[in-house]
Amino acid sequence: MKLTPNFYRDRVCLNVLAGSKENARDIWQAAEGHVLVGVLSKNYDSVTRAVDDMRDYAALIDNALSVGLGAGDPNQSAMVSSIAAAVQPQHVNQVFTGVATSRALLGQDQTVVNGLISPTGTPGQVKISTGPRSSQAPDGVVPIETAIALLKDMGGSSVKYFPMGGLQAIDEFKAVAQACAQQDFWLEPTGGIDLQNYEAILTIALEAGVSKIIPHIYSSIIDKETGCTRADDVSKLLTMTKKLTG
């Protein structure tokens, strides 16, 4: 299975969800390979079944697979790590406290492992208590620079900033983007991103100087009847990305 992420060549790589294996292939083709295709661990009742199915997905899309939690559910953290160890995907979504486990079980540093941090209402301050137990405790709030340093210590590749609520936390997002640029760390904006606000969000990260941006666009481009991501919308996102990145 291909380990070296084929999106390393891109400054921006989309991250969208697949509703089926056929949908995954359609998405990958619509994005001309500039995409990570998310499959949620929460959709499976066991690690074994998830591993078997996700290997099939990976084979269809040159392993451009993103193993997901499922709405950032901290209770999926251990399952995601176990799946990632077996499948060796190109991308892993993790809560903050699950990053080190995923990296250790992967046994290599090529797979991208993000760590989930959340807005607090104060620019420059982020919530890192996103794990199974810590999410039930009083909020753990630290400066974004400290959060990034901790993620680096744990073998993380990027900040997953969730939930953004689209443009609702835009001042906070600007501070996160600036810190990621200053510390040469990757950034994954997530939550409420759609075809209307995508360019504005991506522009902020680009202008801040972030070296790699992986925007997650989920429910806004999913057909509610089929549960599949609309390939036409993925094409539109790719067009907008090319316009902004030249």
Side-chain angles (χ1 to χ4, degrees), residues 60-81:
L60 291 170
I61 55 176
D62 198 24
N63 200 29
L65 176 69
S66 173
V67 178
L69 295 158
D73 186 350
N75 295 313
Q76 294 300 116
S77 179
M79 187 176 185
V80 163
S81 289

Side-chain angles (χ1 to χ4, degrees), residues 155-179:
S157 312
S158 57
V159 162
K160 181 174 182 178
Y161 196 52
F162 171 84
M164 282 180 56
L167 297 171
Q168 292 178 19
I170 207 66
D171 288 337
E172 293 182 71
F173 178 61
K174 288 178 180 178
V176 171
Q178 289 166 0

Side-chain angles (χ1 to χ4, degrees), residues 3 107 121 193 196 208 222 238:
L3 272 180
I193 303 177
Q196 285 68 50
I222 292 176
L238 179 63

Side-chain angles (χ1 to χ4, degrees), residues 95-115:
V95 294
F96 191 89
T97 56
V99 170
T101 299
S102 282
R103 179 60 71 201
L105 291 178
L106 282 163
Q108 40 82 8
D109 60 6
Q110 294 175 323
T111 293
V112 174
V113 180
N114 67 32

